[in-house]
Amino acid sequence: MFNLSEQLVNAIARLKGPARQGQLGRLRRGIEKEGLRVDRQGMIAHTPHPRALGSKLTHPHITTDYSESLLEYITPVYCRPEDALTFLADLHRFSYRHLGDELLWPASMPGRLAGNDSVPIADYGRSNVGFMKHVYRKGLDVRYGRIMQSIAGVHYNVSLPEEVWPLLRELEGAEDKPLNAYRSGRYFDLIRNFRRNSWLLLYLFGASPALDRSFLTGAVPDKLAAHARDTLVSPHATSLRMSDLGYQNKVQAQLKICFNSLSNYVGTLRHAITTPWPAYQRMGVNEGGDWRQLNANILQIENEYYSDIRPKRVARHDETPTQALEARGVEYIEVRCLDLNPFSPLGIDATQMRFLDTFLMWCLLSESPWIPDEECDRLDDNRRAVVERGRDPGLALTIDGEQRRLADRGRTIFAELRGVAELLDVVEGGEAHVAALDALEPLLDTPERTPSGRLLRALEESGSEFVDHVLELASAQAERFRDEPVDPAREAWFRELSETSYQQQADIEAADRERFDDFLAAYFARASEPRAASPV
């Protein structure tokens, strides 16, 4: 029998009445999904971004991330997971009309590479803002290498119902606090609990226990074992993408951002984008007109900070992301630790989305004390252990200073999630959130059924290479998307968006009057300025 926290039980009980009366509102969700373009041999594509997909700089739904080959799809914000997934599917269907023989790689770890320079950096045109995006990516190359930037994932954006904040503020007796400040503080409560428990998402949804040898440029780490001729695997790993082989950075680690407050978060990032780092200074910035990076600071811009979750607010044209947060508070959060599920054509499905919604709401409603530096280190240790050994049945995590088996701690969390899932089902009707828990909880005792376990088992049973196996999945998914119709009205709209995006890019380029040096200096001068918080 699990003892649920009193705070969680009380919060759920107080919210169920308004939920039954339709006063709570729905969560709002959006998806950003990355995927490499590859050829029929699984080699990263070197062709330009297809013209029919529009301008990478200005298209609202189809762009690229680091590489010219790394497509990124961005859905609008929806209240129903199925609507977001339908839009994402239409983006795939529309793209496949214009990809020729190329495929979208459905795994987080890339296909075949041919060294650092085989990953082409995205080009965003000749405007100052477009060139800035290109130089930023050149900076990522000199700092970390291009190969790390060939990794793909899913970002899940969620804003909680606006109606919930006044209810929670009243529940806590905090009516004297401005709503913006209250909402931001509670989002940071959510983020801290996410940081404490994100290892569960890595276990349930990690899907990268293997990689192609071409991903490595140096010696093979001890934690990887040979499989077939060109594949390396980590027998109990869940997400090599989130390991020190992927998005990790020792320079950024010294920032020690544990999300205790908005002011601390903003101040730490502002310090990082204004503080030089000696190793980056030695690399040079603008050498005789050759821009190597935007600056030599710890972070070139705020987006360079790697984390598994971020507080977000849509920025205005004259704001950086942290200035938008500082001025108007947190609007939504972005979950960034999700691998592409290679067995799902979209990389994510409705069951996973509803689990994430339940998990995030649980993080909000549960008690969330501030995280001291020592706990921050332990959280990193837990995450690292699950990334590297999450499917080891004997793995224990440090929870509140004690050692707990992953499965045992997971069952405790699922017991608490159930009440939250029931609350969300009252809001949205049906039993979809409870059903998501029912579908995923058995994975705690059957690690071989997790996406990482399924992929590793498939490689072991077939003896096939990682690239060859994922290539089969990519080919089957491509055939499906090519055969499925796109709604005619939506396809016409996609075509119109593509053409309009080129005109928007041309207008931006025509309007530029500044030299790039002056444009960049003005940008960073503005970026260093604090913004007054809204009194609302």
Side-chain angles (χ1 to χ4, degrees), residues 467-482:
V467 169
D468 293 339
H469 182 73
V470 177
L471 200 55
E472 288 183 15
L473 296 173
S475 298
Q477 292 168 12
E479 184 175 352
R480 168 180 166 178
F481 284 126
R482 286 191 170 105

Side-chain angles (χ1 to χ4, degrees), residues 433-451:
H433 292 88
V434 170
L437 299 187
D438 291 340
L440 293 169
E441 187 169 11
L443 300 187
L444 294 172
D445 296 311
T446 53
E448 68 277 5
R449 291 176 53 198
T450 62

Side-chain angles (χ1 to χ4, degrees), residues 37 45-54 56 64 67-71 98-99 102 120-123 502:
R37 290 186 290 113
H46 292 150
T47 52
H49 184 72
R51 191 189 188 287
L53 302 188
K56 304 182 292 292
T64 55
S67 173
E68 187 77 4
S69 307
L70 187 55
L71 276 175
H98 307 286
L99 287 181
E102 292 178 353
I121 299 176
D123 179 3
Y502 284 113

Side-chain angles (χ1 to χ4, degrees), residues 153-333:
V154 174
H155 296 169
Y156 189 59
N157 301 310
V158 179
S159 61
L160 299 172
E162 281 305 304
E163 296 88 343
V164 80
W165 304 116
L167 290 170
L168 289 177
R169 187 172 61 166
E170 179 185 354
L171 177 64
E172 294 176 18
E175 291 95 335
D176 59 335
K177 197 166 193 178
L179 190 59
N180 272 358
Y182 175 79
R183 180 174 56 234
S184 292
R186 297 295 278 114
Y187 267 124
F188 271 82
D189 292 345
L190 182 161
I191 289 170
R192 289 195 300 278
N193 274 336
F194 182 97
R195 292 276 297 150
R196 290 181 170 102
N197 299 285
S198 61
W199 56 265
L200 181 59
L201 304 185
L202 296 171
Y203 174 81
L204 293 173
F205 305 122
S208 51
L211 51 81
D212 188 73
R213 282 182 182 270
S214 64
F215 182 81
L216 299 178
T217 56
V220 176
D222 292 340
K223 61 189 169 191
L224 296 179
H227 169 84
R229 186 185 66 182
D230 296 322
T231 299
L232 297 168
V233 302
S234 184
H236 293 110
T238 61
S239 178
L240 294 178
R241 167 181 170 264
M242 296 297 292
S243 74
D244 56 6
L245 296 173
Y247 286 117
Q248 303 296 316
N249 179 267
K250 293 178 181 177
V251 175
Q252 293 185 25
Q254 55 92 36
L255 295 176
K256 285 294 180 190
I257 297 178
C258 277
F259 302 96
N260 282 328
S261 70
L262 176 58
S263 60
N264 171 259
Y265 178 77
V266 168
T268 305
L269 286 184
R270 185 165 288 140
H271 166 77
I273 64 172
T274 56
T275 302
W277 189 256
Y280 298 157
Q281 289 177 309
R282 290 192 292 271
M283 295 171 179
V285 176
N286 180 9
E287 303 296 319
D290 175 24
W291 283 88
R292 298 181 180 178
Q293 49 186 339
L294 293 175
N295 55 51
N297 298 333
I298 296 172
L299 301 177
Q300 297 174 89
I301 57 176
E302 298 148 23
N303 288 349
E304 189 174 340
Y305 174 61
Y306 299 132
S307 65
D308 52 5
I309 188 169
R310 282 181 185 166
K312 299 291 288 284
R313 153 97 33 200
V314 175
R316 296 169 180 167
H317 76 280
D318 62 340
E319 292 177 324
T320 67
T322 55
Q323 285 173 329
L325 286 171
E326 195 173 32
R328 297 182 304 285
V330 183
E331 183 179 13
Y332 65 99
I333 53 98

